Amino acid sequence: MFRVSTLRLLGLSFIGCVVAARAFAAPVLVHATPAAGQHVPAGNVAIKLGYNSVIDPFRARLLLLGPSGVPQLLAASPSDDEQQGLATTVALTPGHYVLHWRMRAPGGTPAEGNVPFDVDPAGPVNAVAPAGGK
């Protein structure tokens, strides 16, 4: 009887440790828009980041490094009710950009990474030629 109780207690302790470790684990980026290496047209660019766990949006930091060399701190808000993502929109000119992100799960270890992408010039506007060929 003592042996069964001890094994049960050890099993419950192990499950508790696994759940606690998962709750305090660092978030991992699972989806980014624009994706790393992606080319997007100039103008208003939607930036969305999705993580494998709940993040603390108040401790999130998005820093955009662009062709001007001046870092730009981006304000972002949660993109879903589960607080597993952030979203923002920013007006961008052509050039190479690197989005540096730093996230933390509530009470967890911070994680950070980079998402490099390129902004291409907007395509030409289709002009309608005037009638009569002039």
Side-chain angles (χ1 to χ4, degrees):
M1 177 114 158
F2 176 73
R3 184 174 180 89
V4 172
S5 297
T6 303
L7 289 176
R8 184 175 292 164
L9 182 62
L10 285 174
L12 290 174
S13 297
F14 176 75
I15 291 171
C17 289
V18 169
V19 169
R22 174 96 171 126
F24 294 111
V28 176
L29 182 68
V30 294
H31 177 75
T33 302
Q38 184 176 356
H39 289 256
V40 296
N44 289 332
V45 176
I47 296 176
K48 296 179 184 177
L49 302 175
Y51 296 88
N52 69 335
S53 62
V54 174
I55 59 169
D56 184 349
F58 300 107
R59 292 186 169 175
R61 186 181 77 177
L62 300 179
L63 190 64
L64 187 64
L65 305 168
S68 70
V70 178
Q72 181 180 0
L73 189 61
L74 301 179
S77 36
S79 61
D80 55 17
D81 290 339
E82 290 82 28
Q83 292 190 346
Q84 290 186 319
L86 290 174
T88 189
T89 302
V90 62
L92 299 178
T93 58
H96 180 73
Y97 291 83
V98 176
L99 177 66
H100 177 76
W101 58 267
R102 183 175 173 91
M103 299 295 147
R104 178 185 297 243
T109 307
E112 59 186 298
N114 294 314
V115 179
F117 63 94
D118 292 289
V119 176
D120 297 331
V125 177
N126 292 334
V128 177
K134 292 186 178 182

